[in-house]
Amino acid sequence: MTEQRPPNNVGWWEWLGWKGSPTPALQHPAEEPIPTTSVVAVVAPKIVNQTVVVPQTGWERLKAIYERENSMEKDVTIRVVRMSFLGGFLVGGATGYAQARHAYETNNVGRKYLSPSDAVKRKIDYAIVRFAKGGFGTGFKCALISGSIVFLTTHVTAYRDKFASWYFPAISALVGGVFTFPIGLIGSMKAVGLGVSSGLTLSAVVHLYAMGIDKPVNDAYKLFKRDYEKELKSAAEWDSRVSELMEREQIVWRQQAVKKLKQLDHERMAVNDD
């Protein structure tokens, strides 16, 4: 007889008639349906640091002076030119007024006028004209010489990327000698001597500043330039805020806008402190 084998899916005990507990079939985990929509991962944007190009050559450093908005070299030169012109205008005008008074009294002896008030009026007019003429002439010369010294000193420093104490006396002597060359050799030599002495005085001031902060002269100049440009940037931001407030609230007077902006800043600081 052929031995009958139980089917593969029936256990031996069930084939023999035993009704035990059925063996649970292996349950395969249900496969999760594949979503039809794709999920796109949101990636935070990467912040790319801006690369600051540092000028390498002297001409690039000179070009960078006029490409920056807040440059110490430009601002210092403009301030020195303005102050020199104002000082020269006042000194030259006062000197010219004294000379004009003496010349007027000498040249107008015996001249008849319509009235005493007419004589005073003509005298005042002559004094004003001579004051303005002498003031503008002297102021222009002072502004040109002082501005040239500061301009050349700051730009030579930027070109060489180094400040030295001999810049002021050397450049002052050069500028003085060039501008006084038309009056002769003796006048040029006097101007050179005056330029050297004034330049040495400025160099002494720079050395005292460097000693005060306990740094070399070159490092002191760079530190002064950094702080100066930082102040320029703060002043430019403040002016921008004032102009924006004037435009937004239609304020005519700038001083009124400055006062209101200071008040708003004070109130904001008080709220933050609370």
Side-chain angles (χ1 to χ4, degrees):
M1 294 179 64
T2 306
E3 183 180 0
Q4 296 181 356
R5 295 183 179 179
N8 294 331
N9 58 352
V10 181
W12 284 97
W13 294 103
E14 293 182 2
W15 185 77
L16 292 174
W18 291 89
K19 301 295 183 181
S21 60
T23 304
L26 295 176
Q27 297 180 358
H28 298 282
E31 296 181 359
E32 297 181 359
I34 300 175
T36 57
T37 58
S38 60
V39 179
V40 179
V42 179
V43 181
K46 296 182 180 180
I47 300 176
V48 180
N49 296 328
Q50 296 181 354
T51 304
V52 179
V53 179
V54 180
Q56 299 295 332
T57 63
W59 293 112
E60 290 179 355
R61 286 189 288 269
L62 291 178
K63 184 179 179 181
I65 292 176
Y66 298 95
E67 291 179 349
R68 296 197 308 268
E69 294 183 358
N70 302 314
S71 175
M72 185 203 73
E73 291 82 0
K74 291 188 299 184
D75 189 77
V76 166
T77 303
I78 293 173
R79 288 176 182 268
V80 169
V81 168
R82 288 177 179 174
M83 296 302 297
S84 300
F85 179 81
L86 180 60
F89 180 83
L90 295 177
V91 173
T95 305
Y97 174 78
Q99 296 176 356
R101 180 180 179 181
H102 179 71
Y104 182 83
E105 292 176 354
T106 303
N107 297 329
N108 292 276
V109 176
R111 178 174 293 184
K112 295 182 179 180
Y113 298 97
L114 299 176
S115 62
S117 61
D118 182 60
V120 174
K121 182 180 179 181
R122 289 179 179 273
K123 185 176 181 179
I124 293 175
D125 292 341
Y126 184 77
I128 292 175
V129 171
R130 290 298 300 267
F131 184 93
K133 183 179 179 180
F136 275 108
T138 307
F140 179 76
K141 293 176 183 177
C142 292
L144 185 60
I145 294 175
S146 302
S148 299
I149 293 173
V150 175
F151 177 85
L152 291 176
T153 302
T154 54
H155 284 64
V156 168
T157 303
Y159 181 82
R160 299 185 70 243
D161 196 20
K162 181 181 180 182
F163 179 80
S165 302
W166 58 267
Y167 287 173
F168 278 121
I171 294 177
S172 299
L174 176 64
V175 172
V178 169
F179 282 106
T180 57
F181 183 76
I183 65 177
L185 181 60
I186 297 178
S188 297
M189 295 302 296
K190 291 181 179 179
V192 169
L194 180 62
V196 171
S197 60
S198 60
L200 289 175
T201 304
L202 293 175
S203 297
V205 173
V206 174
H207 272 282
L208 290 176
Y209 173 74
M211 291 174 61
I213 61 176
D214 194 18
K215 288 183 177 295
V217 176
N218 185 38
D219 295 341
Y221 178 86
K222 292 182 178 180
L223 179 62
F224 176 80
K225 178 181 178 180
R226 185 187 65 185
D227 295 340
Y228 192 96
E229 291 183 348
K230 188 183 297 183
E231 292 293 332
L232 285 179
K233 185 178 180 180
S234 300
E237 292 176 354
W238 173 259
D239 292 339
S240 177
R241 292 180 59 195
V242 172
S243 301
E244 183 180 356
L245 181 63
M246 292 177 64
E247 183 178 357
R248 184 174 65 250
E249 300 190 6
Q250 301 297 324
I251 300 176
V252 179
W253 301 102
R254 187 175 183 85
Q255 189 62 31
Q256 182 181 358
V258 170
K259 184 178 180 180
K260 186 171 184 178
L261 186 58
K262 289 182 178 179
Q263 183 179 0
L264 293 175
D265 290 344
H266 181 71
E267 293 176 356
R268 189 179 297 110
M269 292 176 61
V271 171
N272 293 332
D273 292 340
D274 295 339

